[in-house]
Amino acid sequence: MRVRDWEDIVSDVVDSGADPDDWRAVAGDRASGVGEDFYLGHPSQGVYHLKTYAKNPFEVRGVGARVARKVDDGLADFLPDDDAGRFAVQQAIEDEDEAEEKVSELEQVVQAHADAPTTPDAFFEDVMGALDSPAFGPMDYDPYGRPDRMEDLADEFADADELLDKELDDLVDEDDVGRGFQ
């Protein structure tokens, strides 16, 4: 397992070429210290674990690692299979022409869903398709605590969790923050 900057992990997800709607996520507060834990899994891409914290309102710092090369039946139980919540990873729009194209596609999606009976899930998936989102899907998230699935994943990858905690604590100490931005 190689610990890297959290943005490198997100870049791996974006560049993976994996089916974008097969991603699953679990996120919440860290068990100890400032920041958040985030697990991101895909059947063919494995499981990634990220730990981040807000250094200030404009900068997020963190570390991450790939903790499993694929999602087998045992790991699949730890990732959400329903859509209680949703997440998406987006890529920056490159230029004005691309932005105008995306706006046009989004307008068409919104109009189509306004004109016909639809579901929130169908609307979300169509919006993600119009934006060419490289990763989206169900997410188990607790903004004030830790979902049970997160505890299960932390137990499953205890060594990685401990190593990433140490690396993130080193970042916090290096930044001389002492606590996250609230």
Side-chain angles (χ1 to χ4, degrees):
M1 179 185 78
R2 188 174 62 146
V3 175
R4 300 182 301 155
D5 185 89
W6 75 281
E7 290 175 320
D8 293 340
I9 301 296
V10 174
S11 290
D12 285 355
V13 168
V14 168
D15 297 337
S16 72
D19 189 7
D21 62 347
D22 281 345
W23 289 94
R24 305 291 181 257
V26 179
D29 285 342
R30 278 181 65 205
S32 62
V34 300
E36 300 79 32
D37 274 341
F38 187 80
Y39 287 92
L40 190 59
H42 188 281
S44 68
Q45 300 300 307
V47 177
Y48 295 92
H49 185 182
L50 294 94
K51 290 184 180 278
T52 62
Y53 83 99
K55 179 179 176 182
N56 59 52
F58 307 104
E59 184 179 2
V60 173
R61 302 245 354 230
V63 295
R66 186 179 195 185
V67 294
R69 297 213 177 273
K70 68 177 189 160
V71 175
D72 59 21
D73 291 338
L75 289 179
D77 294 340
F78 298 142
L79 299 170
D81 58 2
D82 56 13
D83 33 24
R86 301 295 249 168
F87 83 98
V89 174
Q90 295 303 123
Q91 299 178 50
I93 293 177
E94 298 293 324
D95 57 35
E96 191 173 328
D97 290 338
E98 183 182 359
E100 288 176 7
E101 180 182 319
K102 295 296 177 196
V103 166
S104 175
E105 290 177 36
L106 282 172
E107 285 175 343
Q108 292 172 21
V109 166
V110 170
Q111 189 61 51
H113 281 270
D115 292 342
T118 189
T119 65
D121 290 336
F123 179 66
F124 179 80
E125 288 188 23
D126 287 349
V127 167
M128 293 299 100
L131 293 173
D132 292 325
S133 177
F136 63 91
M139 179 177 194
D140 188 0
Y141 174 65
D142 185 344
Y144 304 108
R146 293 173 61 82
D148 292 338
R149 288 183 168 130
M150 181 170 289
E151 293 301 331
D152 295 337
L153 286 162
D155 290 343
E156 182 73 19
F157 301 110
D159 292 342
D161 189 55
E162 185 178 323
L163 177 60
L164 290 171
D165 264 340
K166 182 185 176 325
E167 293 290 328
L168 188 67
D169 287 340
D170 288 348
L171 273 181
V172 171
D173 290 345
E174 177 184 307
D175 289 340
D176 197 30
V177 173
R179 62 184 173 83
F181 177 77
Q182 298 276 339

